[in-house]
Amino acid sequence: WSSDVCSSDLLLNQGRAAEAEEGFREALILYPEDDQARQGLVGLLVQGRKLEEAERVLEEGVKVSPAQIGFNITLARLLADRGEGARAIATLEDGLEYAQGSPEYSAFLAALFQRKGLHRQAIEHFQFALRTRPGNGVWWVGLGISLQAANEPAAALDAYRHAQASGNLHPDLTALVEQRLRQRRGVPRRQPRRHELLHLLPRDPIALDARLDLRRRERGVADSERRVERPQRVGGVVGEGDLDRHV
């Protein structure tokens, strides 16, 4: 890390967020490849709801550090949250070669495809994710919804059975799965309702403030004593918080 990053960490711990933000900016001017500075700056921008600027900083990060797929994921989430689904998908596809088969990455991409009604692509990526994490009930629900929309009722019901057997669904998703399994005449041909899709986007696997939070904990600073709130993860529209409660 550069000295600017270390100084910004210290400023942030002291509750001096504006100065910390400026320090991260200066670090990136000198060292555009400083991923820690970029991560810290994005976290503060998101916390301050400066989302357009956060997107620009992330876009630069994707170009400078293409192997840092956390930048792709966070940028895709920001884009999806404001309805730029096609760009969000393109952002994730650009990082696929560096994702190294990450099931979380594939599941996120699958959920974005599903949100756009591209169910064949969603099925492919949900299946890929589940080959590595077959016990993830939420992903089985996602697969079932896309199979249902693709008019594959038998496969959809099988996916719902796997979801039910996982034993790790939130009660809302459990009720949805039980409803589908009670259907006697196959799965109707319809697009899944919006409220169902809200459960499917996975948590951003990169916590923008994880490094800063770890350093605070190492220094023994209690949450209640922090003068600056942790940068919030991006969510809301696509319901990443809902999925967190379901996993």
Side-chain angles (χ1 to χ4, degrees):
W1 299 349
S2 68
S3 59
D4 286 326
V5 173
C6 295
S7 298
S8 295
D9 281 352
L10 181 60
L11 290 169
L12 190 58
N13 288 335
Q14 295 173 348
R16 299 157 67 181
E19 295 173 73
E21 181 178 320
E22 186 60 29
F24 287 133
R25 292 182 192 279
E26 291 177 359
L28 286 176
I29 291 173
L30 295 173
Y31 308 102
E33 72 284 357
D34 191 332
D35 297 333
Q36 302 297 339
R38 192 174 303 277
Q39 177 176 304
L41 177 57
V42 170
L44 288 172
L45 292 173
V46 170
Q47 176 179 295
R49 305 306 296 169
K50 302 174 184 177
L51 301 184
E52 290 186 6
E53 185 176 359
E55 287 182 19
R56 290 195 297 271
V57 174
L58 287 165
E59 287 170 352
E60 293 170 358
V62 168
K63 294 176 182 178
V64 173
S65 303
Q68 292 293 332
I69 61 170
F71 294 148
N72 298 71
I73 294 169
T74 306
L75 177 57
R77 186 170 301 284
L78 284 169
L79 292 169
D81 282 357
R82 64 183 182 85
E84 294 280 351
R87 287 185 60 197
I89 289 171
T91 296
L92 289 185
E93 289 185 317
D94 287 344
L96 272 175
E97 64 177 300
Y98 301 102
Q100 298 180 343
S102 164
E104 290 84 3
Y105 197 98
S106 293
F108 186 15
L109 181 54
L112 290 177
F113 275 128
Q114 184 179 86
R115 188 177 174 86
K116 292 290 289 183
L118 301 172
H119 292 287
R120 287 298 174 189
Q121 293 92 324
I123 289 168
E124 176 184 351
H125 286 280
F126 273 129
Q127 288 175 333
F128 180 88
L130 285 164
R131 281 197 289 273
T132 303
R133 300 281 177 80
N136 191 305
V138 176
W139 299 348
W140 280 112
V141 176
L143 177 60
I145 288 175
S146 282
L147 287 167
Q148 168 187 331
N151 194 29
E152 296 189 32
L157 289 175
D158 184 63
Y160 290 135
R161 292 188 186 100
H162 277 90
Q164 185 181 55
S166 72
N168 54 30
L169 293 179
H170 183 274
D172 288 347
L173 283 183
T174 298
L176 172 65
V177 168
E178 290 175 349
Q179 174 192 358
R180 301 302 166 84
L181 291 176
R182 284 196 300 268
Q183 293 173 347
R184 301 298 184 184
R185 301 178 65 182
V187 182
R189 299 182 185 181
R190 68 166 183 83
Q191 296 293 322
R193 293 188 296 273
R194 179 178 174 81
H195 80 270
E196 295 169 4
L197 298 182
L198 296 182
H199 301 299
L200 298 177
L201 289 184
R203 174 188 288 272
D204 185 345
I206 177 174
L208 294 175
D209 63 328
R211 174 176 54 86
L212 302 181
D213 186 52
L214 176 60
R215 290 169 67 85
R216 290 191 186 99
R217 290 199 301 271
E218 290 173 344
R219 295 185 178 111
V221 180
D223 289 345
S224 61
E225 297 174 345
R226 294 179 189 166
R227 295 172 56 190
V228 178
E229 294 181 356
R230 295 174 61 191
Q232 297 176 355
R233 294 182 179 86
V234 182
V237 176
V238 293
E240 84 178 273
D242 291 336
L243 181 83
D244 293 342
R245 291 192 292 273
H246 297 161
V247 174

